[in-house]
Amino acid sequence: MSRLIVISNRVATPDARGVTGAQGGLAGALTAALKDHGGIWFGWSGQESEEEESVGTMQLRRADGVTTATIDLSPRDVEEYYNGYANATLWPLFHYRLDLTRYEVETAKGYERVNQHFAESVTPLIEPEDLVWVHDYHLLPLGERLRALGIANRVGFFLHIPWPPTRLFVSLPDHEELVRSLLAYDLIGFQTGEWRESFLHYCREELGAEADDATGTIRFEGKTVIARTYPIGIDWEHFQTQGRTEEARIAEQRLRSSTRDRTAMIGVDRLDYSKGLPERIDGIARFFDQHPDRVRDLVFIQIAPPSREDVKSYQDIRALLEQKAGQINGARSEVDLVPIRYVNRGYSHAELFGFFRAAKIGLVTPLRDGMNLVAKEYVAAQDPEDPGVLILSRFAGASQQLGAEEQGALLVNSYSPDDISQAIRLALDMPLSERKSRYEAMVGTIREDTVQEWTRRFCEDLAASR
Ligand code: ADQ
């Protein structure tokens, strides 16, 4: 078996592994794949160096059978590449938020510079037979940079977020250059058919490439690339193990005893405008307006740890959310009742399991999301004999797997307060038999299409890509 070189913006170093966040399942799965294949995980350490320029000092560490290699970035690189082009240009644009997308020549240059720096740093670590797997929007042009440095290996790329429709994507000044650079990969993976379709559409319409929908084969200027879908899943076994811990039991108990005879409804998200949090609060407010007699039936718990706090749009969303939650609580609270609990911190997966289990409604309403693993975790934490109801945005990649007609999740238009309000009412009143049948329609794919399966499929296809 070939060795595997994983390259991503951040690396789950041994001491940070499995703490919280997307890192949890993904880090576990990539670590397992690295153990099987042997190899190295390369990326940014998360540290800023003292130097003006990012210099090539690399930290190599080996623990639990996995080698990680990290570099520090200069403050300027962090500002231009990470806070700038990645998170203030590509992230909003790829989540269809042209209104928040900033186009700055300086940050675009910083992005190019750091990709070049990544390529130069990782190249000496790559051996001729290695499989190279690059992750996410921070590193779109990395494949081309590696090729320019003589890397002839099979190199694959996976995009964790949506690919935007062509009409939006062309607003990026260097859209063509970026896509041309992507065609240096052998295999490009997307979360869903919708994002893959948008990418093929761009290649066909804007580049004049030959792109076959059925096979995903793109031919352009003598190059052949394959675009496929690999919907990411959760680490089912690990999550269930977490669910059996004392920590999970205590968390479940805490939530149950503090909500008593009310139905707990839960939202768990990184604090990010793509997650539709203010719109969600508007939906809940609409529910209370339409059903004032039911204010006492429901407690909404929103867990949202801050993220990317150096980016202005993230500071704005936080302020807006606090204001909206405050308004409803001001208008609807009683001495013994606060309808919305808004918690600004992260929890372990064991605790989240407990909270999900105690909450009879899971409210997952992003405005746009590559996949959304919280939706899958919510279902995975339910008691099969008395499962809760998942309300899921039709704009999350996960809706394509979990939201078949009249089955699985209750799908909503996350921009519509009326839609959210109606789904909450349906969920509150849903009989056990329907809750069970909807749960059963979702749980099979979540149990089977795990993050391990996702890793295995991608690596297998990459190995077979030439
Ligand atoms: P994210 O945008 O971070 O990921 P998501 O898929 O929901 O979104 O993953 C979040 C992870 O973080 C989940 O495992 C969740 O449990 C965890 N998490 C969230 N809030 C937490 C909290 N308060 N405490 C602890 N853990 C918390 C990006 C894309 C997604 C895509 C993933 C994986 O935006 O669309 O599904 O990558 O590819």
Side-chain angles (χ1 to χ4, degrees):
M1 199 189 315
S2 306
R3 282 198 333 164
L4 182 63
I5 307 290
V6 173
I7 309 176
S8 56
N9 172 54
R10 292 291 303 277
V11 172
T13 47
D15 36 313
R17 209 168 280 156
V19 186
T20 58
Q23 293 285 325
L26 182 59
L30 290 175
T31 304
L34 282 163
K35 272 188 202 167
D36 282 356
H37 286 254
I40 299 171
W41 190 345
F42 175 86
W44 175 33
S45 61
Q47 302 295 316
E48 291 186 18
S49 62
E50 307 279 304
E51 278 85 35
E52 204 44 29
E53 299 286 316
S54 297
V55 283
T57 34
M58 188 155 28
Q59 272 225 335
L60 273 166
R61 289 203 269 178
R62 191 162 171 82
D64 305 338
V66 173
T67 304
T68 58
T70 56
I71 51 171
D72 298 347
L73 293 178
S74 73
R76 178 171 158 224
D77 280 348
V78 174
E79 200 41 41
E80 294 180 358
Y81 148 81
Y82 183 73
N83 292 327
Y85 202 74
N87 286 322
T89 304
L90 295 177
W91 177 274
L93 175 62
F94 280 44
H95 288 87
Y96 300 33
R97 292 298 297 268
L98 278 185
D99 58 323
L100 298 175
T101 305
R102 300 183 48 181
Y103 303 98
E104 311 274 358
V105 176
E106 279 314 306
T107 63
K109 281 191 197 145
Y111 182 78
E112 294 296 323
R113 191 170 62 241
V114 171
N115 269 272
Q116 181 67 24
H117 182 47
F118 261 55
E120 285 167 11
S121 306
V122 74
T123 291
L125 304 175
I126 301 175
E127 294 172 7
E129 289 304 312
D130 292 348
L131 295 178
V132 182
W133 187 4
V134 180
H135 288 259
D136 228 358
Y137 62 101
H138 314 88
L139 302 173
L140 293 161
L142 187 69
E144 186 188 53
R145 299 304 153 100
L146 292 172
R147 296 281 184 239
L149 292 168
I151 297 295
N153 301 48
R154 282 155 298 181
V155 185
F157 177 82
F158 184 78
L159 183 67
H160 289 260
I161 66 178
W163 184 274
T166 302
R167 284 189 180 87
L168 296 185
F169 184 63
V170 293
S171 70
L172 194 69
D174 48 1
H175 59 89
E176 184 170 336
E177 200 184 325
L178 205 61
V179 173
R180 278 175 175 267
S181 73
L182 269 170
L183 300 179
Y185 292 104
D186 294 298
L187 176 65
I188 304 177
F190 296 92
Q191 301 271 26
T192 70
E194 189 178 346
W195 322 137
R196 186 186 83 127
E197 224 171 78
S198 297
F199 182 71
L200 293 179
H201 180 269
Y202 178 94
C203 291
R204 211 177 286 126
E205 300 299 320
E206 294 287 323
L207 292 186
E210 207 185 295
D212 179 24
D213 280 323
T215 61
T217 308
I218 304 165
R219 285 182 223 284
F220 183 64
E221 295 183 347
K223 280 184 278 208
T224 304
V225 191
I226 300 177
R228 292 223 170 105
T229 55
Y230 302 88
I232 197 168
I234 64 168
D235 185 341
W236 172 273
E237 280 306 323
H238 179 71
F239 197 52
Q240 298 302 327
T241 309
Q242 293 300 307
R244 289 189 288 269
T245 58
E246 186 61 7
E247 202 184 349
R249 200 189 59 74
I250 292 170
E252 181 182 349
Q253 207 45 47
R254 267 176 72 195
L255 196 62
R256 278 192 201 286
S257 63
S258 74
T259 49
R260 286 190 302 270
D261 43 359
R262 293 186 194 124
T263 298
M265 177 165 79
I266 195 164
V268 174
D269 312 75
R270 260 186 322 100
L271 189 38
D272 190 299
Y273 47 80
S274 67
K275 303 294 182 186
L277 298 169
E279 293 78 3
R280 188 178 303 174
I281 304 278
D282 288 344
I284 297 169
R286 183 67 51 91
F287 174 77
F288 288 147
D289 291 345
Q290 290 171 337
H291 307 279
D293 55 316
R294 305 207 66 171
V295 176
R296 287 202 154 264
D297 292 351
L298 193 68
V299 181
F300 177 55
I301 298 116
Q302 175 65 55
I303 297 175
S307 67
R308 305 172 192 167
E309 289 175 281
D310 294 333
V311 182
K312 166 106 179 18
S313 46
Y314 285 76
Q315 297 158 6
D316 294 345
I317 191 80
R318 182 172 181 169
L320 181 61
L321 190 59
E322 277 165 12
Q323 183 202 344
K324 283 194 181 268
Q327 269 168 358
I328 302 201
N329 280 341
R332 299 279 179 191
S333 290
E334 304 280 347
V335 283
D336 61 342
L337 170 134
V338 179
I340 299 189
R341 294 183 197 164
Y342 169 44
V343 189
N344 231 219
R345 52 163 283 205
Y347 287 92
S348 69
H349 266 133
E351 290 171 300
L352 288 183
F353 188 108
F355 295 152
F356 286 147
R357 184 98 169 196
K360 285 297 169 217
I361 306 175
L363 194 52
V364 183
T365 56
L367 301 178
R368 200 62 59 178
D369 215 330
M371 176 53 63
N372 195 296
L373 292 176
V374 171
K376 296 185 174 184
E377 289 165 358
Y378 175 76
V379 175
Q382 297 308 302
D383 173 359
E385 296 310 317
D386 184 20
V389 181
L390 174 65
I391 299 176
L392 178 61
S393 163
R394 52 177 298 186
F395 306 122
S399 70
Q400 311 218 345
Q401 286 175 296
L402 306 182
E405 206 154 303
E406 302 296 313
Q407 281 178 359
L410 285 177
L411 290 191
V412 292
N413 172 351
S414 46
Y415 289 92
S416 161
D418 287 311
D419 231 30
I420 295 176
S421 164
Q422 198 201 358
I424 293 173
R425 198 192 56 72
L426 284 174
L428 270 175
D429 297 337
M430 193 179 287
L432 177 63
S433 59
E434 184 176 349
R435 282 191 276 127
K436 273 186 164 174
S437 68
R438 285 183 179 273
Y439 165 81
E440 278 154 20
M442 295 185 279
V443 74
T445 162
I446 297 172
R447 195 191 297 120
E448 272 137 45
D449 296 339
T450 57
V451 70
Q452 286 80 8
E453 191 50 24
W454 171 82
T455 312
R456 190 190 60 73
R457 276 190 57 218
F458 190 93
C459 291
E460 232 174 68
D461 284 358
L462 181 58
S465 66
R466 274 197 238 154

